[in-house]
Amino acid sequence: MKTLLVTGGCGFIGSNFVRLLCASGAWRVVNLDKLTYAGNLENLSGIVQEHHRFVKGDIADRSLVDRLLEEEKPWAIVNFAAESHVDRSILDSSPFLQTNIAGVQTLLESVRRYPVDRFLHISTDEVYGDKVGQEPADEKSPLIPSSPYAASKAAADLLCLSYRRTYGLPILITRSSNNYGPYQFPEKLIPLMIRNAMSGMKLPVYGDGMQMRDWLYVDDNCRAILAVLENGTPGSVYNIGTETERSNLEVVQSICQILSEIAGPDVETLKHTIESVVDRPGHDRRYAISTAKLRTEIDWAPTVSFDTGLSKTVRWYLQNEDWVARVTSGEYRKYYESVYVQAWGQSA
Ligand code: NAD
Ligand code: DAU
């Protein structure tokens, strides 16, 4: 059984990845997570505990990371830990620079001292910037990030690649499109809309709602990440996505349709709660990536259609209303006010 150090394994994608690994029986997972507002041990309920060691801590804590690598001698590291929400990076970029750049630099320095066979850094299609009117980005496309979040992720990618060239570290990078599925924090589009609709609140679409995104069901991303970890070529970057595009408005309308079918409210009444609100500053109109490299080199393809994935997701949120209520109590309300009531008021 191989040991993996997974960072950020209590967040959305990280917890789905840890669940996949623990279920396979082939992996032991050491999970380093700071438990920020987005991290929650409850996200790992039901996993086989003897295959999982949780360590509460910060990836930017050099002595802790050194100690873990020395003690556990993991075969590989998969770094999910990050501040992940674009809107929060617009309100305050400081934690993004600290975790997403300084944290990654700390991990890389520790790996120089305590080598591993693979260092897989989880990045994003947002590093390529706005692709409106352009060909989809491949892995060699320039990095032109728009938000402080995306800039911090691009900086981390470049740092990782520099440690590959300078010190020969076994770096792999995945850049995926927008994920959705169970355990996503309800600040992101899909769970926010489901929560608001369930609570009889308005459905706040930024600007005209015609921004295009490629939605990837989280299980498909986790399978791709594992495949890249096992079969990717060190030094390489892999885009992950479905190569399909939908406008935000279409996505919100689909949520209304599915909620109506499952839970009974009238679909037209739900759609009337869709409201255009002040746009996200610097909002990218379109993300688009080519996944040809992953499909040919790693033989991966998505398996969950958007309709199936969205329906599973809506059902999960309906069945987990307590989880939604717990993670959105407290700090979430203040955050929600800043964006949706004060219309980015605290970003000035
Ligand atoms: P998330 O916000 O749900 O979870 C982040 C996790 O990292 C949380 O458990 C949090 O407690 C932990 N964390 C934050 N700072 C930390 C620190 N300093 N030390 C240790 N742990 C820390 O994020 P997510 O949506 O699951 O995203 C995971 C990764 O995937 C991120 O790197 C993100 O940039 C990337 N990504 C996300 C998406 C998406 O659609 N969600 C798409 C592409 C890439
Ligand atoms: O593309 C990958 C990225 O996807 C990841 O790197 C990020 O970590 C992840 O958060 C996500 O970023 P986005 O900004 O694309 O996701 P978000 O769910 O915040 O928004 C999706 C789209 O919906 C975006 O165009 C903004 C819009 N939106 C979002 C919210 C929260 C709205 O119109 N209204 C909203 O209330």
Side-chain angles (χ1 to χ4, degrees):
M1 188 177 276
K2 279 181 178 161
T3 297
L4 269 192
L5 175 61
V6 173
T7 69
C10 298
F12 164 47
I13 307 175
S15 65
N16 280 285
F17 187 68
V18 170
R19 203 172 283 285
L20 173 73
L21 294 178
C22 291
S24 80
W27 300 94
R28 178 168 170 276
V29 177
V30 179
N31 177 1
L32 173 62
D33 196 301
K34 188 177 168 185
L35 297 183
T36 66
Y37 76 92
N40 190 347
L41 271 173
E42 217 187 314
N43 296 359
L44 292 169
S45 62
I47 63 161
V48 184
Q49 285 302 336
E50 61 260 40
H51 298 160
H52 178 244
R53 173 184 172 199
F54 172 66
V55 179
K56 181 167 189 245
D58 193 327
I59 58 166
D61 179 344
R62 178 70 195 275
S63 56
L64 171 63
V65 177
D66 277 358
R67 181 162 58 73
L68 275 180
L69 293 184
E70 192 178 14
E71 260 173 39
E72 296 283 356
K73 299 185 179 45
W75 174 72
I77 299 178
V78 183
N79 178 41
F80 291 94
E83 288 295 335
S84 68
H85 193 33
V86 173
D87 294 339
R88 289 183 190 256
S89 81
I90 293 167
L91 296 172
D92 178 9
S93 61
S94 305
F96 288 75
L97 271 60
Q98 177 56 25
T99 288
N100 300 1
I101 305 176
V104 170
Q105 189 257 353
T106 305
L107 292 174
L108 292 166
E109 278 300 313
S110 289
V111 168
R112 285 184 62 204
R113 187 134 176 236
Y114 301 100
V116 293
D117 282 24
R118 302 270 191 284
F119 183 100
L120 170 47
H121 175 67
I122 306 296
S123 185
T124 168
D125 63 355
E126 296 207 13
V127 297
Y128 299 119
D130 201 332
K131 300 306 285 183
V132 76
Q134 295 175 43
E135 286 300 305
D138 66 22
E139 290 80 354
K140 290 192 164 51
S141 296
L143 306 190
I144 313 174
S146 301
S147 68
Y149 161 73
S152 71
K153 295 297 288 185
D157 285 17
L158 295 177
L159 259 182
C160 287
L161 293 172
S162 79
Y163 273 64
R164 168 72 186 165
R165 170 136 182 161
T166 308
Y167 306 110
L169 261 52
I171 301 294
L172 291 156
I173 296 177
T174 59
R175 295 183 181 141
S176 87
S177 60
N178 283 67
N179 284 220
Y180 68 104
Y183 299 105
Q184 186 166 33
F185 194 79
E187 62 192 354
K188 309 282 166 46
L189 179 77
I190 289 180
L192 185 140
M193 295 298 166
I194 300 171
R195 173 181 182 265
N196 280 20
M198 281 157 56
S199 321
M201 294 162 70
K202 297 270 189 185
L203 308 182
V205 169
Y206 295 156
D208 63 5
M210 294 314 291
Q211 304 83 3
M212 306 303 284
R213 296 288 185 270
D214 167 355
W215 292 96
L216 174 66
Y217 192 66
V218 64
D219 288 354
D220 276 334
N221 188 26
C222 290
R223 280 193 311 105
I225 290 167
L226 188 54
V228 167
L229 183 68
E230 293 184 302
N231 304 312
T233 307
S236 297
V237 178
Y238 296 90
N239 289 343
I240 309 174
T242 69
E243 298 192 355
T244 58
E245 295 177 37
R246 281 178 175 74
S247 71
N248 293 337
L249 202 52
E250 274 178 77
V251 170
V252 178
Q253 286 170 344
S254 300
I255 292 171
C256 293
Q257 184 66 46
I258 292 172
L259 265 171
S260 165
E261 285 162 17
I262 299 176
D266 175 60
V267 66
E268 290 311 318
T269 310
L270 274 179
K271 285 185 183 171
H272 275 111
T273 63
I274 298 174
E275 175 182 60
S276 169
V277 299
V278 178
D279 206 351
R280 166 188 285 176
H283 200 172
D284 286 330
R285 296 291 291 180
R286 175 176 179 245
Y287 295 138
I289 47 174
S290 159
T291 60
K293 183 174 174 183
L294 184 71
R295 288 168 195 259
T296 49
E297 270 189 33
I298 311 278
D299 194 24
W300 172 93
T303 59
V304 183
S305 71
F306 184 71
D307 289 348
T308 304
L310 192 61
S311 175
K312 282 166 91 159
T313 304
V314 171
R315 281 178 203 280
W316 188 87
Y317 280 90
L318 288 174
Q319 286 158 7
N320 289 275
E321 285 188 83
D322 292 352
W323 178 92
V324 173
R326 273 194 292 280
V327 302
T328 55
S329 63
E331 183 271 350
Y332 182 82
R333 283 158 210 270
K334 194 162 159 260
Y335 162 74
Y336 196 92
E337 282 250 320
S338 305
V339 176
Y340 300 97
V341 181
Q342 296 169 16
W344 307 95
Q346 293 188 357
S347 63

